[in-house]
Amino acid sequence: MKPEYKIITNMINEKSRVLDVGCNDGTLMEFLKKNKNVDIRGIEISKEKVQVCISKGLTVIEGNAEFDLKQFPNDSFDYVVLGQTLQAFINPEIVIKELLRVGKKAIVTIPNFGHWKVRLNLLTKGTMPVTKTLPNEWYNTPNIHMCTIKDFFKFSETINFKIFKSLALVNNSVSNINNSNLFIKNLYSELGIFLIEK
Amino acid sequence: MNIKENIKTIVIKKPLKLDCGQIINNFPLAYETYGYLNEKKDNAILVCHALTGDQFVTGINPITKKDGWWSYAVGPNKSIDTNKYFVICANVIGGCMGSFGPSHINQETKKIYGTDFPVITINDIVNAQVNLLDHFGITKLFSVVGGSMGGMQVLQFVSNFPEKTKTAIPIACTSSHSAQNIAFNELGRQAITADHNWLDGKYLSNNNVPDKGLAVARMAAHITYLSKKGLQEKFGRNLQERDDLKFGFDADFQIESYLRYQGSVFVDRFDANSYLYITRAMDYFDLIKQFNGNLSNAFKDTKAKFFVISFTSDWLYPTQENKEIVIALNAIGADVGFVEIESDKGHDSFLLDVPDFLKALKNFLDKSYIE
């Protein structure tokens, strides 16, 4: 179980309605169902992953979050979860707005491009960074819109959404991010986890 | 055709008001079942057949002596596992496998109905077959399943009887028959009525069959059930039992021979007037219009869990039309899953050995059953 999933689960209230965008093989969905008794749906782009979810008895729609969130009415979920895929969308701004339209709250996690290893990698090697959390080469990465934790904070001001909770994850340890420690958290966190609201 | 002895039938006494305004009663509904109904009566699955299907879903069809039309999906240990579930399938009214249809005798005139048979709709078909639930004492089905026209019946069934099923699986279908769908059906009907043996629909009382017209209708329809890629891979430009072109109009190509064969076997098992009536029922199907332009309203009273399935190479009922059903369901927060199955086999994919499809169907049913 990814530590990230436990953190997400802690953010979600019992028995709420949840949409997992890019639900992959349904691991988080199953975990949430079991631990928080939620009414949960998933969207997944890969046919193989959808099949895995069906075999687990999960309600999943094959689709592309960039286009298929449209079908959900406003506020139809208490939480919409987007795990480590914001950077893969053609237009992350529209996706965030859609998440916050469909969900009363959204939980977004991002691989932090501001992590010191990434920075050092680029500084010393002069090539696009390849790390544990970002294992692809520049030419085959699905991540076309990488950002840092600091970028995400700026993003929230520009397109006007509220960050309710922001957590930094590094080597399985979790800590809060705030304005005073942002510089350091942006340097040392592998992953940022945000609970946001419009 | 002496088919009576192999066909189970209930007589529906309750009057049924058809969409055309006519009322029918005391009419036969032919059906078949597979597996056993459990004590709690919660393991029943209603399977709805497509245009040219019948109630003989699996095993050997006692009339045609061929495999049932959904033998890949239904049977012991298969996707719709008859060791676990009690499968019911009715021949649609308007059909020709024992249910009330145009080849029956009109008790008032003592003549075969022919085109005096009332025009029926998908709604009428569903309202007739729901009587089977009462017959078996089933208050709630575990599932209602069907592909193509069978899928339309699934949608109509859930809309008409929102409480009568736990799950619903519309496959390769639409909520509203498109202009293209109607066009192909009209081509088939024109082929039948243009056959001089059709005799304004009175061919049976004249011991005649418009077999040429019906065969052409089947050939044209058959093309729409396959994909271009599938046809190309299976037949290409291969020649039929000859080394070279014959510069004539015999079946030079394998595809021609194949279609002719499909047409010729079809006329032995299907009634031309039934073909007219059932294609009409499909053309009239428009659940969106029935609910004044808002498909979601068709499903607003149901708690059924839906699973919508489409196929990549199905151009007759393409993914987009299946997705519209998903969208309508999501708009009202219904429980709906959806998958598009990769297959080169066109619309017919749901009838064939397509492992990803069969696996998804099985997993959905088995997981939903234990919930």
Side-chain angles (χ1 to χ4, degrees), chain B residues 232 235-239 245 252-254:
Chain B
Q232 196 62 28
F235 302 103
R237 293 183 54 82
N238 296 345
L239 299 179
L245 301 177
D252 275 351
F253 297 100
Q254 275 180 12

Side-chain angles (χ1 to χ4, degrees), chain A residues 25-36:
Chain A
D25 64 0
T27 308
L28 176 63
M29 289 178 75
E30 273 191 308
F31 192 71
L32 279 168
K33 248 177 129 171
K34 202 173 133 208
N35 291 287
K36 291 285 171 123

Side-chain angles (χ1 to χ4, degrees), chain A residues 7-13 79 107 165 167 193-195:
Chain A
I7 301 166
I8 293 170
T9 305
N10 287 336
M11 289 178 167
I12 287 173
N13 289 334
Y79 301 90
I107 298 168
K165 201 176 243 180
L167 300 171
I193 302 171
F194 306 93
L195 177 66

Side-chain angles (χ1 to χ4, degrees), chain B residues 34 54-62 64-72 351:
Chain B
Y34 304 87
D54 53 40
Q55 65 272 41
F56 300 112
V57 177
T58 187
I60 299 293
N61 182 320
T64 63
K65 312 290 179 203
K66 292 187 174 158
D67 282 339
W69 57 272
W70 221 8
S71 292
Y72 281 116
L351 298 169

Side-chain angles (χ1 to χ4, degrees), chain A residues 41 47 55 59 61-62 71, chain B residues 330 334-335 338 340 356 367:
Chain A
R41 309 289 155 79
K47 292 183 195 300
S55 74
T59 300
I61 292 162
E62 181 188 329
Q71 62 190 292
Chain B
N330 272 324
D335 189 338
F338 164 71
E340 181 197 48
D356 283 347
K367 290 290 169 181

Side-chain angles (χ1 to χ4, degrees), chain A residues 14-72:
Chain A
E14 288 265 334
K15 291 183 181 165
S16 42
R17 263 178 73 81
V18 183
L19 176 67
D20 188 353
V21 178
C23 62
N24 210 293
D25 64 0
T27 308
L28 176 63
M29 289 178 75
E30 273 191 308
F31 192 71
L32 279 168
K33 248 177 129 171
K34 202 173 133 208
N35 291 287
K36 291 285 171 123
N37 198 17
V38 292
D39 178 7
I40 189 160
R41 309 289 155 79
I43 295 191
E44 173 55 45
I45 199 164
S46 143
K47 292 183 195 300
E48 292 75 38
K49 298 279 167 58
V50 173
Q51 286 278 3
V52 176
C53 291
I54 295 162
S55 74
K56 292 175 174 175
L58 299 165
T59 300
V60 172
I61 292 162
E62 181 188 329
N64 181 339
E66 196 128 23
F67 313 107
D68 291 326
L69 286 174
K70 275 200 297 276
Q71 62 190 292
F72 297 101

